[in-house]
Amino acid sequence: MKLRVDLLPHGGYSDTVLVVDILRATTTAVAYLERGAEGLLLTASPERALALRDHPGPDGEPVRDERYLLGGERGGLPIPGFDFGNSPVEASGRNFTGRTVVMNTTNGTGAAHVAAQSGKHVLLAALTNAHAAARRARARAVEEIAIVCSGTDERVSLEDAYAAGVLAEYLLAMGDFTVDDGARIALTVRRNLGNPLEALSSSGHGVHLDRLGLGEDVRYAARISESTVVPTLAELQDVEGALR
Ligand code: MLT
C-alpha cells in the first residue's frame, strides 16, 4: 500500500484521505463529536453557515434553527454572528447532544472540501485521535492513504507536518507501505522535534494562538491519541460535508 503526505492540499485523491489541521479545526471537530454532537457540517463559507441556521421569519426577521450551532474563525478569532470560535478547549467544556455543529475555518474546512472532491473515504485526524484515525484509515484503504495537511494561509505549517509524521509512524507499524517524499519529510519532522507540545508551541500558528491568549488550545491539541472518535465525511452535500 502507498502512503502519501501532502504538506498542502493538492487534490486528486482516489482512496482514503486523512485531513489534518491540528491547530485547530480537526482537533475541535473531534471535541465536538466527543461532546455529543449529532454531526458536523463543513461549509464552504461563513455566509453558508449563517444561512443554514438563520431563516427569514414571517416578519422578515431572522429565526434561528436551534438544531444548528455555528463554530469557526478567521485569523484564529470567532466569526461575527457565529455561536463560538474554533477552540477545542471551549468545545470540550460544552454539551452538544442533539445539535449539529456547522464549521467554517480559515484552512481546515477548505482542505476537507479538497479531499472530498475525489477521496473515497475522508477522515479528520488530529494528534488527539491519531491512533484511532490511523487504524480507521488502514481498515478502509485499498491502495493508498493520503495524509493531507491543511497548512496555514496556503503555507506549510510545522504542526500539521508533525502530526502527519505521528500518523505515518502509526501506519508504518500497522503494515507495509511505500512512502513518498512528503511522508519521509513528515517522519523526519516528527523524529527531530520529539515532544509534541514543544513542536506545536514553536510553530508559527502556535505562537500566533498563544499571543491571542489561546495557548490552552495548543496544549490541548498536543495530547496524543486520547480520543477514539474519528470524524468521517459521509458525503459532500451541496457545499457542506456531513461528518459523523
Ligand atoms: C484553520 O482552519 O487553520 C484553523 O481552524 C485556524 C484556527 O482555528 O486558529
Side-chain angles (χ1 to χ4, degrees), residues 9 55 64 72-73 80 97 100 102 108 118 125 142 157 163 180 193 216 240:
H55 305 283
R64 286 176 66 109
E73 55 67 48
T97 304
T100 293
V102 184
S118 58
V142 177
S157 62
D180 74 342
L193 292 185
E216 192 57 36
E240 283 80 42

Side-chain angles (χ1 to χ4, degrees), residues 21 23-25 73 75-76 86 105-109 150-152 205 209:
D21 178 18
L23 292 179
R24 302 168 285 174
E73 55 67 48
N86 191 36
T105 69
T106 312
N107 306 281
T109 52
S150 302
T152 302
H205 197 53
L209 289 172

Side-chain angles (χ1 to χ4, degrees), residues 187-211:
L187 287 162
T188 302
V189 168
R190 159 63 172 157
R191 289 166 182 165
N192 280 274
L193 292 185
N195 177 297
L197 184 54
E198 287 169 12
L200 272 56
S201 302
S202 67
S203 70
H205 197 53
V207 170
H208 174 68
L209 289 172
D210 194 54
R211 286 180 181 148

Side-chain angles (χ1 to χ4, degrees), residues 91-241:
S92 67
R94 296 171 71 120
N95 182 350
F96 294 95
T97 304
R99 314 296 283 270
T100 293
V101 179
V102 184
M103 293 181 75
N104 182 264
T105 69
T106 312
N107 306 281
T109 52
H113 276 251
V114 169
Q117 280 165 4
S118 58
K120 283 194 179 63
H121 308 294
V122 178
L123 314 175
L124 301 192
L127 288 181
T128 53
N129 73 342
H131 190 261
R135 202 171 52 241
R136 182 78 62 82
R138 182 73 178 81
R140 294 277 181 91
V142 177
E143 293 178 347
E144 177 186 83
I145 295 174
I147 301 173
V148 177
C149 300
S150 302
T152 302
D153 300 328
E154 298 180 1
R155 300 177 69 86
V156 171
S157 62
L158 179 68
E159 74 276 7
D160 286 345
Y162 180 90
V166 171
L167 289 161
E169 278 185 339
Y170 279 135
L171 287 166
L172 293 179
M174 293 176 185
D176 294 331
F177 287 87
T178 55
V179 297
D180 74 342
D181 285 357
R184 293 181 60 192
I185 290 167
L187 287 162
T188 302
V189 168
R190 159 63 172 157
R191 289 166 182 165
N192 280 274
L193 292 185
N195 177 297
L197 184 54
E198 287 169 12
L200 272 56
S201 302
S202 67
S203 70
H205 197 53
V207 170
H208 174 68
L209 289 172
D210 194 54
R211 286 180 181 148
L212 292 177
L214 296 167
E216 192 57 36
D217 282 345
V218 179
R219 288 183 283 280
Y220 182 102
R223 294 153 40 172
I224 293 186
S225 297
E226 290 191 352
S227 173
T228 58
V229 165
V230 182
T232 304
L233 194 61
E235 67 279 340
L236 196 60
Q237 304 160 351
D238 186 8
V239 289
E240 283 80 42

